Amino acid sequence: MSEPALLAAESPLDAEQRLAAEAGAESVLVLAGPGTGKTTTLVGRYIHLLDLGALAPRIFVSTFTSRAALELRGRIGARLAGLGRDVEPERFGRMPIGTLHGMALRLLQRHPPPGCPRFRVFDEQACARVIAHHRLYLSDDTRKPTDVFGAYKDRLLSPAAALAEAKAKNDSDLLEAAEAYGRYQQALAGEGGFDFGDLIMELVRGMEEDEDYRARISGFFDHLLIDEYQDINPAQERMLRLLRAQGARLWAVGDDDQCLYAWRSADPAFILGFETAWPNPALYRLSRNYRSTATIVEAASALIGANRRRHAKDQVPHSASRLALTIAGLDDDEAEADYVLRVVQGLAGRGMPWHEMAVLYRAGHVGSRIQIRLAEAGVPLVVRGSGEFWQLGPVRLVAGLARLLADPQDMDARAVLGHGKRVDKLLSQAPEKIDTDVPWPALCRQVGRLVSATARPPGEEGLQWRDLAFTAADLAAECEGAAAFTALMEEQRRSLRRAESGGDAVVLSTIHGAKGLEWSAVVVAGCEADLMPHESSPDLEEERRLMYVAATRAKRWLVLSFAAERRKAAAPSPYIAEMLRGLAEDQIRYHDPQSRERLHAGPPKPAKADKPLRLRPELKASIGIRKGRAVPKRTRV
């Protein structure tokens, strides 16, 4: 065997990965689809630079999360150790590998720019405290104040610039948000605090205003390795440009088909326009998918191929498995939860560890019913993305208000209810809207309606808010009283904490929270036409990317489930049909004949005015017709 062939055999990289890792252009973009070895190639690039004589302290590696940075640092260290190179853990731990926010913090602390005040970093909890103390809530409730203020910083807008933008657009909501942003910044400054967005803003300010400072900071690095490039926002992109001022080379890896964070100001234009935006560019593609079966790769490729704003790329499955994709069309969300339970219990019975299974969904309220059903059955769970059900905003409002109205002396209920404009509005309207003399189930239903109607924000968040409020009211109404409801919440929260600490648990997550992860079996729940794509989203291509990311988390088993009714009649997502067009008949399995019929039945017919509408699930409980459960007779209101 020749020496070059021997080196290739010893390398952990395939031919495409090796070409990308050893690219010599000044600006390199590696397009790496799901399962194509993105992190392996990034590690290979790092080792290649060391082989060329680059110094590790002068190689900045950026990851999207701190957890990803820890994993990457461990993989680089393991690769160096495997090559027989000495790795001093303490010294290697100081290498510049982390998030862009983390690197900005490091530079500001060690080399503050002129005019930078002394500061402490405020985490999300500390920022929420500042907002609560100064009552910086927004009357429209479209987004959390921290999201609004963070979006300004992602676009490098100061309070003055945000106010000028709002005045130019003559928008009262924007004016209110910009004014609150200014007060928020004053409050932070008064406490000597920077939030995460301030870190990049301050570093960019210092480098733009002082040429000597810019030359000094950018002179620290010879190479910039950027992971998840599709998710950078304008502030981060500006930071990278300034860090290149002394000639550092840029090597970025990402996938435009997995750009999901437009709501965080991430702009796919940065990755789509890479070749025109950076000097001496080169583009590489990784095409071999090492994660998923041929069925999953082919279905996902057929789906994402319908998007127009994307880099052309193909995926070749490394696995030849044609294990069928499963389609399950269920009666409603309760039947879907029961079906998911049977799926995970069946896989566990065949020897699959719990942690190799995941249930993903576009909207948090889809997971709430599944979360409760699996918890009731004793299935260990870890909840990511939308958060643990009992901690979600509308759920806390329903739980806290119902308990407080049942017992005004319950101070724990008052703590659960919390503070803010929503809470003030609910408490002011409760005496008029709610009859506290009715039985507990009826009280819960009244509270659910009040929370949904009074505190509900507009848009997509409002739709999720409504469904979560009704689900919480439904679950509360099923209990014998406030004490039993409190016990139910505490027991389920304890079971979730036990699962979290135990390590072996089924993951329930929003699709956003699942990005970058993988499991042997994945159920994508809530695959309905008004959820996938979401009825409130203006960007249908991003919605298709969400479905693509969800499907490509699966290694072997992929199940797509939808409900014929989820508080209203629903049709299956059009994305299911797009995926199936890429498959042969033997690669498709239907849960039952009705699932096939529902998939091809088309949109549901609108209910006629002279026919009674189906009751919402939260009302079904009131008359004892919930499937499979004995429900006591309850007073209607």
Side-chain angles (χ1 to χ4, degrees), residues 4-147:
L6 177 62
L7 292 174
E10 292 176 347
S11 172
L13 308 179
D14 65 24
E16 288 180 337
Q17 294 167 346
R18 188 166 58 253
L19 283 173
E22 298 177 0
E26 184 178 344
S27 306
V28 176
L29 174 62
V30 181
L31 294 171
T36 56
K38 170 178 64 73
T39 304
T40 297
T41 307
L42 181 56
V43 172
R45 176 65 174 182
Y46 193 94
I47 303 299
H48 174 69
L49 293 177
L50 295 181
D51 290 342
L52 293 179
L55 301 176
R58 297 183 64 80
I59 305 174
F60 169 39
V61 185
S62 166
T63 59
F64 192 63
T65 65
S66 299
R67 183 179 65 183
L70 287 173
E71 178 188 350
L72 183 63
R73 194 183 296 273
R75 291 182 63 168
I76 291 174
R79 180 65 184 142
L80 289 172
L83 294 172
R85 303 186 188 182
D86 293 332
V87 179
E88 300 177 23
E90 183 177 350
R91 179 173 176 272
F92 187 65
R94 296 194 299 268
M95 293 301 101
I97 301 173
T99 65
L100 287 168
H101 289 99
M103 180 51 58
L105 172 61
R106 182 172 179 169
L107 292 172
L108 289 174
Q109 288 178 329
R110 298 184 181 184
H111 311 281
C116 179
R118 295 177 62 86
F119 65 89
R120 295 176 296 132
V121 178
F122 280 22
D123 61 15
E124 186 174 351
Q125 184 176 2
C127 294
R129 175 186 57 77
V130 170
I131 290 170
H133 178 72
H134 294 273
R135 302 192 67 76
L136 298 173
Y137 302 109
L138 306 177
S139 58
D140 61 8
D141 286 327
T142 56
R143 293 173 66 187
K144 293 189 300 184
T146 50
D147 290 341

Side-chain angles (χ1 to χ4, degrees), residues 532-545:
M532 304 275 285
H534 199 282
E535 58 187 316
S536 68
S537 175
D539 189 344
L540 296 182
E541 294 214 343
E542 178 164 313
E543 292 296 303
R544 188 176 280 107
R545 291 195 292 268

Side-chain angles (χ1 to χ4, degrees), residues 98-291:
T99 65
L100 287 168
H101 289 99
M103 180 51 58
L105 172 61
R106 182 172 179 169
L107 292 172
L108 289 174
Q109 288 178 329
R110 298 184 181 184
H111 311 281
C116 179
R118 295 177 62 86
F119 65 89
R120 295 176 296 132
V121 178
F122 280 22
D123 61 15
E124 186 174 351
Q125 184 176 2
C127 294
R129 175 186 57 77
V130 170
I131 290 170
H133 178 72
H134 294 273
R135 302 192 67 76
L136 298 173
Y137 302 109
L138 306 177
S139 58
D140 61 8
D141 286 327
T142 56
R143 293 173 66 187
K144 293 189 300 184
T146 50
D147 290 341
V148 174
F149 306 153
Y152 282 132
K153 296 177 184 185
D154 289 342
R155 295 191 291 137
L156 293 173
L157 287 183
S158 66
L163 188 60
E165 178 185 73
K167 289 179 178 179
K169 294 183 178 180
N170 194 26
D171 187 308
S172 60
D173 289 338
L174 289 180
L175 282 169
E176 180 194 41
E179 290 169 354
Y181 175 37
R183 296 196 301 274
Y184 172 70
Q185 288 301 97
Q186 291 175 358
L188 283 180
E191 297 190 32
F194 273 12
D195 64 16
F196 292 138
D198 287 320
L199 300 174
I200 291 181
M201 280 194 74
E202 182 64 19
L203 182 65
V204 168
R205 180 202 64 77
M207 296 179 75
E208 288 186 331
E209 292 181 357
D210 191 306
E211 291 185 10
D212 291 337
Y213 181 73
R214 179 167 68 250
R216 180 186 180 197
I217 295 300
S218 62
F220 290 151
F221 304 113
D222 296 324
H223 299 276
L224 308 174
L225 310 187
I226 312 301
D227 193 12
E228 303 288 4
Y229 187 76
Q230 76 278 356
D231 290 325
I232 66 168
N233 60 45
Q236 295 166 337
E237 199 266 354
R238 183 61 184 159
M239 174 181 168
L240 292 177
R241 288 192 177 278
L242 293 168
L243 288 176
R244 292 195 67 189
Q246 295 298 306
R249 291 174 175 264
L250 174 67
W251 189 93
V253 60
D255 181 12
D256 51 300
D257 290 334
Q258 299 184 69
C259 183
L260 308 182
Y261 291 98
W263 54 281
R264 289 185 183 173
S265 303
D267 190 344
F270 290 131
I271 191 169
L272 293 173
F274 185 93
E275 292 175 281
T276 58
W278 297 97
N280 184 26
L283 191 65
Y284 293 83
R285 291 174 171 83
L286 306 183
S287 63
R288 183 162 292 277
N289 185 307
Y290 293 96
R291 174 187 298 163

Side-chain angles (χ1 to χ4, degrees), residues 408-423:
Q409 304 305 314
D410 187 348
M411 291 299 99
D412 288 339
R414 189 63 183 83
V416 169
L417 193 58
H419 302 278
K421 287 187 176 181
R422 282 190 175 118
V423 175

